[in-house]
Amino acid sequence: MLSKSYTFKRLMGCCNCFGFTRKPKRRPRPISVANCQLSQELLLDEEIDDEDDGSYNDDITDTAHGDVDADDSEVPSRLGRSEEILKFREQNGFICRQFPVKETHKVVRTEDENGNKVVNEYVREYKIGAGSYGKVVLYQSRVDGKHYAIKAFHKSHLSKLRVAPSETAMTDVLREVLIMKMLNHPNIVNLIEVIDDPSADHFYMVLEYVDGKWACEGCGPPGGIGEDTARKYLRDIVAGLIYLHAHNIVHGDIKPDNLLVTRTGTVKIGDFSVSQVFEDDNDELRRSPGTPVFTAPECCLGLTYHGKAADTWAVGVSLYCMIVGQYPFLGETLQDTYDKIVNNSLILPDEINPQLKNLLEGLLSKDPNQRLTLDEVAQHTWIIGADGPIPQYLCWCRRESLEKVEFDESEDSSDMTHSNNID
């Protein structure tokens, strides 16, 4: 059994072989439980099973979101920075929505004739999940009859949960809303409406309901979901993540629970609660990412790291789950898991497709500088398969930019023609 005083000697001793030349700034923060024993549930997923009245577990900050470090005091509030970046993008037409997200500033909570709770136009059916900061409940709209997944939060509680010196859990939720307001892609869960009544404590995110997911372990066929299905899913995941990265957004928590599957078999990336937005291509991060077992080696070492490369590692872990049916690196404690991620060699079945083996090894390269990029993954032989290259997606903001360029060029051409006629 590893004690809480575990010093990561093995982790620190192998930094140079991964291409790191400087000493890590800090160790990963141990989770404060007796004898540092950590259930596999916490290693795999930081979800909590909250009650229907919206109560939450105050210890949630001891998982992925609780990396409160003195170094972070020098970092400006991420919410404020995100607001600045997203406001600039909105002002310059870089929002990928033809129509904005609906914003409602009044909450009416009632019950219908059957005793079901009703929030505005939405009738509650049952809880379908729980995240780090709130629950996810299935509701049906009285207006269009459609089902929606609604994330419900208590603002007063989130405002007390400290996740960094200058940030609370409410900071994360508001940043999640800001980011999702600009997104529109077939492989991203769509934000429909935000309900935030200034006079009420409740806060709701109304999301597109995706009624399926695939699990890594303990569900489905032994040995994974099959190569053909895995290829189809991975193409969708890569398409959605390329879109996010192209807009300088790092997801930060790619894992099976956040990769939802529609009835037609399309994968949509969800849960942007730890996502970050950047002004440019500098995606350097310091705060711990989402879920331990999907964490990249460079994150385990307590270094600053690049978010896009960490996302790509998590894609590799997810693909490994799809193919093998288990996790590539999983220990009995948080420290043991980090130790395996950093030090253990990748083990693949002998009978694995050589092209797939090459892809997994590229995705799960310990050195982020040697890791495949998403563009390289999209062009990989195994990914292309019989379906051909992943289709290019022309997002709304890029379409708007192209139309503006074409309009400006036509105006310039018209002015030149007019000038020539005068001459």
Side-chain angles (χ1 to χ4, degrees):
M1 182 183 299
L2 296 176
S3 68
K4 291 173 72 173
S5 62
Y6 183 65
T7 60
F8 278 89
K9 288 182 180 178
R10 289 183 64 198
L11 286 140
M12 297 302 108
C14 63
C15 291
N16 288 337
C17 57
F18 297 138
F20 301 125
T21 57
R22 50 185 173 157
K23 186 177 180 180
K25 292 183 179 177
R26 66 178 187 272
R27 295 179 303 166
R29 181 170 177 259
I31 290 180
S32 54
V33 287
N35 299 321
C36 203
Q37 283 297 115
L38 190 67
S39 73
Q40 287 194 356
E41 285 185 12
L42 284 177
L43 291 169
L44 307 181
D45 191 351
E46 69 273 32
E47 289 185 354
I48 53 173
D49 188 16
D50 55 327
E51 298 295 330
D52 281 350
D53 64 1
S55 61
Y56 302 102
N57 181 348
D58 285 331
D59 292 334
I60 194 64
T61 53
D62 278 335
T63 60
H65 303 289
D67 189 16
V68 180
D69 191 282
D71 290 343
D72 287 334
S73 61
E74 299 175 4
V75 180
S77 168
R78 290 182 180 87
L79 176 60
R81 191 73 187 115
S82 297
E83 283 181 317
E84 291 177 18
I85 295 169
L86 294 171
K87 186 175 181 180
F88 173 82
R89 293 185 184 182
E90 184 176 16
Q91 290 173 343
N92 290 273
F94 297 132
I95 299 294
C96 284
R97 287 180 175 270
Q98 185 176 6
F99 305 104
V101 171
K102 181 181 179 182
E103 297 191 52
T104 303
H105 301 292
K106 185 173 180 59
V107 175
V108 179
R109 291 160 55 86
T110 59
E111 288 189 358
D112 66 8
E113 60 278 8
N114 298 316
N116 298 312
K117 295 178 181 177
V118 180
V119 176
N120 292 5
E121 69 182 71
Y122 304 100
V123 181
R124 187 188 193 280
E125 296 201 351
Y126 53 86
K127 190 169 106 173
I128 55 177
S132 304
Y133 300 144
K135 59 192 173 184
V136 184
V137 179
L138 182 67
Y139 282 79
Q140 185 174 25
S141 169
R142 285 173 162 175
V143 174
D144 61 19
K146 294 181 180 179
H147 283 94
Y148 295 93
I150 297 185
K151 294 176 77 169
F153 309 95
H154 280 273
K155 290 183 284 189
S156 60
H157 183 84
L158 297 186
S159 298
K160 296 174 185 176
L161 285 180
R162 184 69 55 183
V163 298
S166 61
E167 296 179 32
T168 65
M170 196 66 205
T171 313
D172 280 350
V173 171
L174 293 176
R175 187 178 57 251
E176 177 180 11
V177 169
L178 286 173
I179 289 173
M180 293 199 74
K181 278 182 177 180
M182 69 172 290
L183 303 178
N184 184 24
H185 188 277
N187 299 117
I188 303 289
V189 173
N190 190 31
L191 176 63
I192 307 296
E193 180 180 358
V194 176
I195 304 173
D196 181 17
D197 188 335
S199 63
D201 189 40
H202 296 88
F203 183 94
Y204 302 93
M205 293 173 64
V206 182
L207 298 156
E208 166 190 15
Y209 174 53
V210 183
D211 56 359
K213 67 169 68 174
W214 56 271
C216 225
E217 190 174 34
C219 297
I225 61 176
E227 196 170 319
D228 291 340
T229 303
R231 181 186 291 107
K232 183 179 185 303
Y233 287 1
L234 191 68
R235 287 168 63 92
D236 287 348
I237 296 165
V238 169
L241 205 51
I242 283 177
Y243 165 80
L244 291 176
H245 288 184
H247 290 75
N248 292 323
I249 295 170
V250 168
H251 185 275
D253 199 16
I254 294 293
K255 61 181 180 181
D257 276 352
N258 294 336
L259 303 172
L260 308 178
V261 185
T262 69
R263 289 185 178 182
T264 59
T266 298
V267 176
K268 291 177 178 275
I269 300 172
D271 195 347
F272 290 79
S273 59
V274 296
S275 299
Q276 300 289 343
V277 58
F278 298 89
E279 187 173 6
D280 48 34
D281 290 333
N282 181 10
D283 60 339
E284 190 173 86
L285 288 170
R286 185 177 301 174
R287 184 175 162 190
S288 296
T291 306
V293 77
F294 294 89
T295 300
E298 61 271 22
C299 308
C300 301
L301 295 170
L303 300 164
T304 56
Y305 63 94
H306 289 283
K308 293 177 184 178
D311 272 352
T312 305
W313 170 275
V315 170
V317 177
S318 299
L319 176 59
Y320 187 100
C321 291
M322 286 190 260
I323 296 299
V324 182
Q326 60 188 24
Y327 302 92
F329 309 104
L330 176 61
E332 294 183 357
T333 66
L334 177 63
Q335 285 81 1
D336 187 28
T337 293
Y338 282 166
D339 186 40
K340 291 179 185 295
I341 290 170
V342 173
N343 292 299
N344 284 20
S345 298
L346 179 66
I347 298 175
L348 294 167
D350 293 335
E351 66 277 9
I352 195 169
N353 179 331
Q355 293 178 354
L356 177 55
K357 179 175 185 260
N358 176 268
L359 176 59
L360 280 165
E361 289 174 342
L363 282 166
L364 296 176
S365 170
K366 305 283 190 183
D367 182 350
N369 295 316
Q370 298 298 319
R371 196 171 301 150
L372 290 177
T373 66
L374 285 180
D375 286 338
E376 290 170 337
V377 173
Q379 297 168 20
H380 196 277
T381 307
W382 185 82
I383 282 281
I384 292 174
D387 296 322
I390 296 175
Q392 294 287 321
Y393 179 76
L394 184 61
C395 65
W396 183 257
C397 71
R398 190 165 300 170
R399 186 185 303 129
E400 289 279 278
S401 297
L402 290 174
E403 289 177 355
K404 185 178 184 303
V405 169
E406 291 173 359
F407 177 79
D408 290 343
E409 287 177 348
S410 65
E411 285 288 293
D412 290 342
S413 176
S414 176
D415 291 343
M416 187 176 295
T417 302
H418 181 69
S419 176
N420 288 338
N421 288 338
I422 292 176
D423 293 340

